[in-house]
Amino acid sequence: STNGSTWTEAGTNSLWAGLDRHASVVYDGKMWTLGGDNGASIFKRAYYSTDGITWTQAGSEAMLETVYLLSALVYDGKMWAIGGNTGGNGTAKISYSTNGSTWTEAGSNSLPLANTSHTSLVYDGRMWMIGGYYGASGVYYSLPAIQGGLVVQNQSGTERFRITAAGNV
């Protein structure tokens, strides 16, 4: 849509047949989808498109682990995959890529807690992770060593998950 009120389907593609709970970013002039599941299998695939119609898999099983309910963002010239669910368990891993087919873990268990169903954004020169499941319902930001730093902890004890946020550099 260019005006927010009229939308056109970009086309149908077998990639989207049942793909659920993936993360999406725009990076290097391409739209990307990362991870996700189809109800029967969890994926560690990354796909990209320049037109939203034709999608290409970036390498075979490119990501470091099968994951869904993750978040993703672009920061410091890289795509970042943050947390997620690996099939019953949340993960504390953060990984990054500059090409979608090769991913690098940003330190062992970079998040302070395993987290899933959260949102992430870039704001004020930092990566932020907000809400989540598995007890990580606070607001966290990245430190120079890509370690999670607790800024605010949700005092109500209620998990805040499946939320969204937007930010910019």
Side-chain angles (χ1 to χ4, degrees):
S1 176
T2 57
N3 61 14
S5 64
T6 304
W7 291 80
T8 303
E9 184 175 4
T12 58
N13 185 300
S14 61
L15 165 67
W16 302 110
L19 184 63
D20 192 16
R21 302 183 286 186
H22 57 280
S24 299
V25 295
V26 173
Y27 173 75
D28 193 28
K30 300 175 183 95
M31 295 176 278
W32 291 84
T33 65
L34 309 175
D37 76 312
N38 67 3
S41 299
I42 305 168
F43 302 115
K44 58 185 212 174
R45 300 177 188 158
Y47 290 90
Y48 64 89
S49 176
T50 57
D51 61 9
I53 298 169
T54 304
W55 291 83
T56 303
Q57 187 173 342
S60 175
E61 304 293 316
M63 299 180 69
L64 296 180
E65 60 187 343
T66 58
V67 65
Y68 65 98
L69 294 172
L70 69 157
S71 66
L73 52 79
V74 174
Y75 177 78
D76 193 30
K78 302 173 185 85
M79 285 186 289
W80 294 80
I82 301 172
N85 192 310
T86 59
N89 297 308
T91 182
K93 289 185 180 177
I94 298 176
S95 57
Y96 62 87
S97 178
T98 57
N99 61 17
S101 60
T102 305
W103 290 80
T104 303
E105 188 175 346
S108 180
N109 292 320
S110 298
L111 296 175
L113 299 166
N115 204 5
T116 182
S117 301
H118 57 281
T119 191
S120 296
L121 61 109
V122 174
Y123 176 75
D124 198 25
R126 295 182 179 183
M127 294 185 286
W128 293 78
M129 180 183 71
I130 302 171
Y133 202 65
Y134 295 115
S137 58
V139 177
Y140 299 82
Y141 65 90
S142 64
L143 298 174
I146 313 300
Q147 297 288 324
L150 179 62
V151 178
V152 176
Q153 178 65 43
N154 178 2
Q155 299 301 313
S156 71
T158 303
E159 294 169 323
R160 306 281 189 238
F161 59 97
R162 296 185 183 154
I163 59 175
T164 189
N168 59 15
V169 182

